[in-house]
């Protein structure tokens, strides 16, 4: 009854594959097998720019095609911009696809009434705010708060990162009247447990939330046959036509050692 | 690693306790133990009127207090009006609480882009529409459609009910451009599987969706310590003061035979 | 041509019945007869928690049924959370029902363009903000401001309360650009006159506004036959079925001495 | 304790002054004295075009200035486009000003949950829909329905008008799920009583609703000193400067014979 | 292939006609001929009050009628409140009409994601905020910021005005996270170039933006026959009826010397 | 004073390059030089699927980089989904970028009050509706209407296409109360002139509108220095880092023969 989940780091670098894999396996259900992929080819090692993000589109979608073919039960496209989810749902008919913002926001809305999102830079906010609107969560948004760090800074000096997250999370609670905090980048992983114990509100980790949501969706697809609808926006191309445009490609893979 | 979940039928009748229990156990995880409760005392056997719903408030909250004390890992207040959820979260500090509309809408938003809700009567729509707004899902709402049946009609002649659901679900897809359908009453249970196979879009059952969500929340509370925040709207009364107002009361219980 | 209005303090304490009655009679029309009721039975003496509020639901609705039977021309359910209004409208066919937030917000929208609501505690805000949204007044809301006091503190040291209201009202005007202030709790009565003279913007008292609105609704029901519609959300239960669930009960009553 | 109210028909024709005056006096409180004015000068006899409406601006505002000087306790600018209300509030400091749409919508929101507005022509809808948005009532709007008549047609053949209103009101209830109907033109007066008895939902007359609201505002200004705020959008010009731009002018007047 | 554009200063003063004309001709296309008009008659020399604005309605509309008759290709009603645009579109069938806020907001939305509007006084904000909503730009609005100056102060001491604009524009960028700034009054002309070079974000001048938009609309009317639709809100009165209400009147004119 | 504009057909086919070029040159200003590009490489020949669209991201952005380097004054990314606009703005500092939906909607909002969008298939609606929301135009949207044709069907049998557009445009006006119609696909070019003459409302062509808007933006960038802000969402990557991810690539080009 277990499930196989693929976490895609949609960048051309496997720098975080092992560590995110290890971190998430400690949070997953016992019968979940979690593999982590990063993209083949050359390209960006972070997606802070929308232009970089878009260069990751094709290899991510090729990976999604491969994942469904390979028999995975769900896939997470692991960037808080939630990139390519509509396209990935078009390409798949059996395997659910989710992403960090969607799952983090849904969980935050269940455990609180107003959330703040801690982002690395101002630059990220407009695109993320559009997602907050797309998910209908604008009335739950207390604030964005800026850590003043880039994606690849978060794991360099964890103590500093933690102190910055602590400061902004505390301000979010005290000043913006947030009762939940979302860590708005997957590379902010590893901090939530200690900080939520200290600060006293749920702090939603952007890797753990989509893992839990992916586990739920994976089971719902198998047991309830609830998988994304093909009737409207997720309609699927004709296989012959699709084959001309996109084909499954195996990514760089960091497999579950269990 | 299992979890114990309490499903509350917030009415003064145990008419559906056994059958909903059996139906949900077939959908639950193997290591979930699901008990079903209905309310002690005399009162309404359906909640189609807001006034009836409110008479169920006190015994439901007494049941919630009992459930947390008793060690349940999550509770579902099983009515599609999602009654008393804020109050139940105030009263509990460890045990998550959820309800059908919240869970059904979140799932529908993940497997589709526009949902229709099939309700029994026009009368139900304004209160349910307020919940759609509260959950920020108004832009995902394709339509409400009315079956022309009361809560206690749905299980009387299942063939007729099924034909009515089929007709309205098909119109929702064809006319209102819905790509998902939500069965907007818990007593519409037992129909979703066959109909979604026929109609070809996900049909969200309002008992199964909150069960899955409750399983996720139960685990997230234990493993990630993500439980509703006490900092703002879910702040908890002083025990001494609370004891004067509300006390745990054991409900009518239909236990999991497993 | 006069009218009889019932003000319900929906708590199990008559502590404020006499004083609110006296205060409101000084504001009412000469031909209005105002009685004040509080709830029979044992239970909460304030409704700061949603759970407490819900325990007041049944006795409040029993009081509403009694009031219509008794011939009252309108009823105010006197708590700024506006509790139970939909249910009360279901139960009545001739007698209008209103509540403080609805009336205060409507008046504030007529005498200004942006209002701030002064609440006792942060805790109250999410539920009240939902009402602001329900009434479509979110674009008129300048801010919530927190006095840092509980319901039962307001009348203990009126000088202190007045100084707190003054400070927050002035900040609302200066900082949040409010041009009207609403006192967001019925127990903040007795302060509005002096403060609005000092501060120079209308300060809406949450007992006086619903009184005026109730007087209007009472007359409109009698003279224009404008009373809440029974066609949709306020549809009325069958008397026989209703009798099984709820019956009129006379509350504690503090009658108009005039 | 009575009050003097001025109803302004903001057109250059007194054709409806007597009949609206008589009709409204039958609906007013006994101690209300209602005068009706129409505009001095030459100009439009209906305001179906926004351009016509604007030519009525200056004489309407001159009338409002005169009315405050003359001691009226409230004024209604009697057109369902609610013209010139912000300007009129700027010009007055003691006398409340209201208008048909504001009052009708507030009443409709209190006696129902979804209203339809019956207008004469399609042409009127965009400007009226902007007012529905300005008042935050867009979520309560079930529909606009078009009678296919001009302002000056309504009183020509009352039987025909009544049959058209009946047909559209019934469709609004049956098809658009309205539970209240607003007659979206002041010249649709005289029909609401019989039709609401027949159709069974409240039908809000656009002359009576603002009369009731004006009576309430008049009293609230005198007794509670609640009059429009001068702190923000309704700030008042310096008298000397104003005198250069606008001066009080007595309108054509049809006085209350009582 | 050139075009003739009429800029209307909708006030009874030609104080700014020459200087705005000169300033705009330096920004216009070479083949644009720009005339500037102010209103005939006596009346307000600024429109800070809505009541003043409305007294300018009739002469502005008379000017618009004259302009279409005279063969202008587009007209700008040059006040940031965007007054009388619907009425002007009713009165014209061939000649486009636009106004500063519409054009400035559309440009700001294209060159940025969040704009701040610098206004003279608090008083102006509510009416302007309604326009921001009417144009659907509320999610792009970072803030209003107040310069603390009246319309006729801006050109008195340009150095002081510039320093105030600089200070508020910098705060808008730094504090409110604006990436574009709109100068929310046409009389704030002459400052944008130097300030945007200093501050590093686009600063939209409220005279230049509508000029560019008017040039585009003028050409689109001639070449694509895209002119405001007469089917709904801009429907045109019957000429005979209109002639009774409004007639073309030549304004004070400051013609293009080229 | 002329300007060079690049129209990008973001597909791997030059099938429409010549004909769109010719069609647009007939609509452009005399001093506009318009080149048309399609993408190098192999891939989709239409973007009806979001997955196809994303495979066009990298070559489109490479083309945008090339265009700025090459000295173009503005670029249109010619697909009604408005793909990659944020990314393209990140990559450019001098050259404006726009797209069909943005420009068509802005023009439609200026020439009408409610627009309908005629799309080829249901499938397109959810992504396009998100853009309508992103542009704040949801209150102006009368309806989407479906032609039942794919992108590459529109130019096959122009008579049939015209009859389908006519039918749906007429229904949009008559039934949905639209006063403007937008042709929601660039390959619906060539039909607007005749149809708007017949139907009597402006019909916005999705190639002409962005051409006009690009001409305006091109001039505003040169003359007013108004180009997209780099302060927030359009911040530009460091050149060295960017060079590693994306580089200018010359597309297939169909140059302006003038």
């Amino acid at each position: 009854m277990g499930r196989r989940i693929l976490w895609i780091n949609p960048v051309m670098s496997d720098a975080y594959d092992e560590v995110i894999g290890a971190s998430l396996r400690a949070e997953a259900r016992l019968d979940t097998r979690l593999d982590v992929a990063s993209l083949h080819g050359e390209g960006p090692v972070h997606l802070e720019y929308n232009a970089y993000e878009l260069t990751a589109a094709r290899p991510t979608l090729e990976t999604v095609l491969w994942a469904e073919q390979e028999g995975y039960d769900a896939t997470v496209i692991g960037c808080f911009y939630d990139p390519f989810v509509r396209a990935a749902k078009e390409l798949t008919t059996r395997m659910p696809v989710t992403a960090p913002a969607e799952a983090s926001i849904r969980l935050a809305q269940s455990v609180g009434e107003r959330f703040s999102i801690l982002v690395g830079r101002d630059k990220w906010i407009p695109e993320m705010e559009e997602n907050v609107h797309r998910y209908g969560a604008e009335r739950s948004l207390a604030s964005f708060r800026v850590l003043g760090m880039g994606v690849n800074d978060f794991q360099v000096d964890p103590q500093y990162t933690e102190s910055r997250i602590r400061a902004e999370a505390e301000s979010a609670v005290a000043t913006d009247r947030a009762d939940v905090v979302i860590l708005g980048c997957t590379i902010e992983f590893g901090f939530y447990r200690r900080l939520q114990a200290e600060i006293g509100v749920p702090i939603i980790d952007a890797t753990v939330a989509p893992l839990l949501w992916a586990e739920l969706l994976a089971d719902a697809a198998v047991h309830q046959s609830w998988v994304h609808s093909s009737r409207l926006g997720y309609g699927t191309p004709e296989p012959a036509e699709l084959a001309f445009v996109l084909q499954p490609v195996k990514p760089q893979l960091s497999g579950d050692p269990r």
Side-chain angles (χ1 to χ4, degrees), chain A residues 10 47 53 60 77-86 88 99-100 127 131:
Chain A
L47 305 187
E53 183 187 338
T60 301
I77 302 178
C79 169
F80 201 81
Y81 285 138
D82 282 15
F84 326 132
V85 172
R86 175 178 281 124
E127 186 169 351
N131 281 332

Side-chain angles (χ1 to χ4, degrees), chain A residues 5-230:
Chain A
I5 291 177
L6 182 68
W7 177 279
I8 303 175
N9 281 328
V11 285
M12 277 75 169
S13 157
D14 60 1
Y16 298 107
D17 292 2
E18 294 284 348
V19 59
I20 283 186
S23 163
L24 283 179
R25 278 169 212 125
E27 307 270 359
R29 300 195 209 162
L30 290 182
D31 57 356
T32 292
R33 181 190 158 90
L34 179 86
D35 296 340
V36 178
S38 52
L39 304 180
H40 61 84
E42 300 213 326
V45 300
H46 69 82
L47 305 187
E48 295 193 38
Y49 295 94
N50 190 244
Y52 292 10
E53 183 187 338
L54 286 171
T55 64
R58 175 183 276 277
T60 301
L61 295 177
E62 291 166 338
T63 303
V64 167
L65 279 173
W66 173 84
E68 178 159 84
Q69 200 180 69
E70 194 70 8
Y72 282 96
D73 295 300
T75 289
V76 180
I77 302 178
C79 169
F80 201 81
Y81 285 138
D82 282 15
F84 326 132
V85 172
R86 175 178 281 124
K89 289 182 176 176
E90 284 175 355
L91 297 180
T92 52
T93 56
R94 176 196 56 71
M95 180 186 74
V97 181
T98 187
E102 180 191 29
S104 299
I105 287 171
R106 295 314 180 209
L107 251 168
Q109 289 180 310
S110 197
V111 302
E113 302 192 285
R114 283 167 64 86
F115 59 79
S116 289
I117 301 180
L118 305 195
V119 297
R121 302 192 190 280
D122 259 15
K123 166 65 177 97
W124 310 358
I125 297 177
E127 186 169 351
M128 289 186 183
E129 199 161 30
E130 277 184 13
N131 281 332
V132 171
H133 277 280
R134 173 178 300 132
Y135 299 137
E138 61 270 24
R139 291 198 298 271
S140 311
L141 179 69
S143 61
F144 280 95
R145 287 198 157 254
V146 179
L147 299 172
M149 306 177 75
V151 167
N152 288 322
D153 299 336
F154 291 127
Q155 300 293 338
V156 173
D157 177 351
Q159 226 167 341
Y160 176 73
T161 305
E162 190 175 310
S163 75
R164 286 296 300 126
I165 295 177
R166 182 186 295 107
E168 295 300 329
E170 282 172 348
S171 297
V173 170
T175 305
D176 310 334
R177 238 170 44 222
D179 63 354
V180 201
V181 171
I182 296 176
L183 302 179
C185 177
T186 54
I187 311 304
E188 295 179 43
F189 70 86
F191 299 101
Y192 86 92
R193 278 185 188 276
R194 191 151 71 193
L195 286 172
Q196 79 184 352
E198 281 176 44
I199 296 173
V201 303
I203 297 188
I204 305 297
D205 178 283
T207 59
V208 179
L211 170 67
L212 303 189
W213 189 237
E215 290 177 327
L216 183 154
L217 291 177
D219 287 12
V222 171
H223 298 306
Q224 282 81 32
S225 302
W226 287 341
V227 69
H228 44 276
S229 181
S230 62

